[in-house]
Structure formats: C-alpha cells, structure tokens
Amino acid sequence: MKTYSIGEVAKELNLTVYTIRYYDKEGLIPFVERSESGVRLFKESDIAALNVIECLKASGMPIKEIKNFIDWCAEGDATLQQRYDMFMERKATVEAQMSELRKTMEVIEHKCLYYQTALEAGTEDIHKQENIAASIPGSR
Amino acid sequence: MKTYSIGEVAKELNLTVYTIRYYDKEGLIPFVERSESGVRLFKESDIAALNVIECLKASGMPIKEIKNFIDWCAEGDATLQQRYDMFMERKATVEAQMSELRKTMEVIEHKCLYYQTALEAGTEDIHKQENIAASIPGSR
DNA sequence: ATAAACCTTAGAGTTAACTCTAGGTCAAGC
DNA sequence: GCTTGACCTAGAGTTAACTCTAAGGTTTAT
C-alpha cells in the first residue's frame, strides 16, 4: 500500500510539518504507522482523517475536543451515539457562525456604501449633512 | 449628554471590563473621554464605535489592523480611500469565510448522515459493507 | 561514499487576545 | 466618618495553537 511522508502530506494539506507533528503530539493521529526507523508513514486513510480534523478545526472546535472524537473513533461502535451527537452539535455551531457572519457582512456592506458616498462627496461630512437635512421637517 | 461607565458598556456589549480596558490600551478607543478623576465616560457614539470594532473583530481582523482603521478615522477625509479599500477587502475576506464555512458544513452534514445510518444499523461496519457490495458487479 | 535533503525527538519560544492581580482612588449610602 | 463597590493603572499570567531550535538519525542521488 502506498504511503506518504510527513512532508508530502504537509504540502498536500497546506499544513507545515510542525503542525502535523504537533497534532500527533496532541494525540489527533495515533493511527499513523511508522517505519522500523521511526519515520511516519501516512496512508490515504490517514490523509482522509486529517481532512476531517481540518474540517472540525474550521468549525471552531479546539484540538482537545477533536482528540476526544479521535479517541471515540478508536473505541468503536460503543461511541457511535457520542460521535453522532458531536456532529449534530457541530452543525448547530456552524449554523450559528454563518448567521453571525451574515450580520457582520451586513454591517460591512453598509460601511462600504457609507465610504463610497463619502469618497464621491470628497468628505465624510456628507453623512452628517444628510442626517441634519433629514431631521428638519419640510427641508425638501 | 448621557454617558455610561465601563461596567455598563461591558454589560451591554457582552464584553468584560478587562477587554474594554485592553482595547483602550491598544489604542482602539482613544476618543473616549474621562472625568476629572480619570474615569472613562462612554458616549452613545463610543458604544457605536465599539460595535464597529466588534464587527471588524468578527470578520477576523486582528486588533492591530483595527487600530490602523481607528487612526485613519482620526485623520479625517484624507484617509477616506484607505478606509473604503479596507472595508472592500473585509467584504472579500468575509465572503471567503462564508464559502469556507459552507464547505465545512457540507462535510459535517455528510458525517451526520453517516453516523445516523451507523446508529440505525448499530455498527459503523454498515458503511464498509455498503462499499464492498457496491463494488461487486452484479451483486444486486 | 558522501553530501544533501529528508526524517526524528524534546523542549523552548512566539503570538494574539485576553484575563487577572495588586495596590490604589473615588463617590454614594448608612 | 466609614464602609462598599466600582473605578483606575501597571504589569504579570494564561491559553491555544502553533513554530522553531538543537542535536541527531536516515534516505537518496550522484
């Protein structure tokens, strides 16, 4: 079976070798086998596992919690419920992050328009003037 | 004009007083005035500014870059272009984060289904079996 | 066969963003 | 007048997630 070195895996996943060794130290990839001389030999399935780890990380999960999941995986079918619950919870937090991001986006887009108008006018005062004008009844 | 104490502002924005003082130390809120005895007096507009800061933070901008923006604001109309460019760039990075999150969500949803099926079957092997069956031509 | 380019570990260092402590001031209520 | 609680500063401590260094072993290409 074909295997990959830590450097190859790092390049493929856009990680540093330091990061992968750090993950190993933290117990995220206990299943990676070694050559007789101690060199890590990554299988395709190990790379797939690292991709799942990256996904969990992207969802905001801290490394220690990812380790819990990895431990559960090693324990087999007895932990299926925990793992299911974990992914359902992840789904909820990612949904929350998305709605948070949408709110952030709204404010940013509003600011883009604000500065576009100000740039066109050559001054930020345009917005103050607008508000003053708008606040005087019958001003137009 | 009504003002608010750091404790009131912290409660309203769901921050700690430590965090707000830290922001002040980092130069994010140089416009907040003080009483004669040195107590911070937050105006409504200061709270609005903190909301913008929170928005930039939520967009992933580091505190030092937020400080650049605050400095630009103090410099007036000469920096309108920089500020416009900054928000346009923010918009792009938030869009990138959203598409990243969508990809993450897809993987997580896939995993939810995976574990749901496994739970129903009582074993994760169901997925291995499925693949083996699917790989044998004429097996159904 | 030897140099270059990998790999290994243990452990120290870095960075960002808080978070807290110590020691003090101040304003309000009893 | 004195206690209580909220404010102040300077600076130390924390945490997560890397990131790197030192010292050495291994593999590969000429």
Side-chain angles (χ1 to χ4, degrees):
Chain A
M1 190 191 288
K2 173 138 203 236
T3 61
Y4 303 85
S5 74
I6 195 169
E8 288 168 327
V9 175
K11 195 165 281 177
E12 184 158 333
L13 300 186
N14 251 319
L15 296 170
T16 68
V17 294
Y18 302 134
T19 302
I20 298 177
R21 290 202 194 105
Y22 165 69
Y23 287 175
D24 198 4
K25 216 184 276 187
E26 294 299 308
L28 299 194
I29 47 171
F31 38 74
V32 173
E33 289 174 16
R34 306 284 188 119
S35 74
E36 274 185 29
S37 57
V39 173
R40 290 177 190 84
L41 303 171
F42 291 81
K43 298 184 291 291
E44 290 286 356
S45 64
D46 298 339
I47 295 174
L50 272 167
N51 269 316
V52 173
I53 288 168
E54 286 307 288
C55 166
L56 289 174
K57 217 180 48 169
S59 84
M61 189 178 246
I63 263 99
K64 280 183 188 172
E65 275 176 52
I66 299 177
K67 182 182 164 18
N68 290 341
F69 166 66
I70 298 294
D71 291 346
W72 285 335
C73 289
E75 282 172 46
D77 288 338
T79 63
L80 281 175
Q81 185 70 53
Q82 278 102 309
R83 288 185 270 163
Y84 173 71
D85 292 348
M86 189 203 81
F87 275 106
M88 288 300 280
E89 199 185 300
R90 269 308 91 193
K91 192 180 159 185
T93 78
V94 172
E95 264 158 13
Q97 285 171 57
M98 280 174 135
S99 92
E100 177 80 13
L101 258 197
R102 270 190 291 271
K103 273 188 220 159
T104 298
M105 189 52 126
E106 263 178 49
V107 176
I108 287 172
E109 279 176 343
H110 181 268
K111 283 287 176 182
C112 286
L113 288 178
Y114 173 100
Y115 280 111
Q116 199 184 339
T117 311
L119 264 176
E120 279 161 15
T123 175
E124 225 178 324
D125 294 347
I126 191 80
H127 293 291
K128 290 174 202 155
Q129 295 314 105
E130 245 170 31
N131 291 335
I132 289 162
S135 69
I136 298 168
S139 68
R140 46 175 295 236
Chain B
M1 191 191 283
K2 173 135 203 240
T3 62
Y4 303 85
S5 73
I6 195 170
E8 287 168 328
V9 175
K11 195 163 283 177
E12 185 158 332
L13 301 185
N14 251 321
L15 297 169
T16 67
V17 293
Y18 301 135
T19 302
I20 298 176
R21 289 200 195 105
Y22 166 69
Y23 287 174
D24 199 4
K25 216 184 275 185
E26 294 299 307
L28 299 194
I29 47 170
F31 38 73
V32 173
E33 291 175 14
R34 305 284 189 121
S35 73
E36 276 186 28
S37 57
V39 173
R40 291 177 189 84
L41 303 171
F42 291 81
K43 299 183 290 291
E44 289 287 355
S45 63
D46 298 338
I47 295 174
L50 273 168
N51 268 315
V52 173
I53 289 170
E54 285 308 287
C55 167
L56 289 174
K57 218 180 48 170
S59 83
M61 187 178 248
I63 262 96
K64 279 181 189 173
E65 274 176 53
I66 299 177
K67 181 182 165 17
N68 290 343
F69 166 68
I70 297 294
D71 291 346
W72 285 336
C73 289
E75 281 171 46
D77 288 339
T79 62
L80 281 175
Q81 186 71 54
Q82 280 102 310
R83 287 184 271 163
Y84 174 70
D85 293 347
M86 188 203 82
F87 276 105
M88 288 301 280
E89 199 186 298
R90 266 313 86 195
K91 193 180 158 184
T93 78
V94 172
E95 264 158 13
Q97 285 170 58
M98 279 173 135
S99 94
E100 177 80 14
L101 258 196
R102 270 190 292 271
K103 272 188 223 159
T104 299
M105 188 51 126
E106 262 177 48
V107 177
I108 286 172
E109 279 176 343
H110 181 268
K111 282 288 177 179
C112 285
L113 287 177
Y114 173 99
Y115 281 112
Q116 200 185 338
T117 310
L119 263 176
E120 278 160 15
T123 175
E124 227 178 321
D125 294 347
I126 191 77
H127 293 290
K128 289 173 204 158
Q129 294 314 106
E130 245 169 31
N131 291 336
I132 289 163
S135 70
I136 298 166
S139 69
R140 49 175 296 236

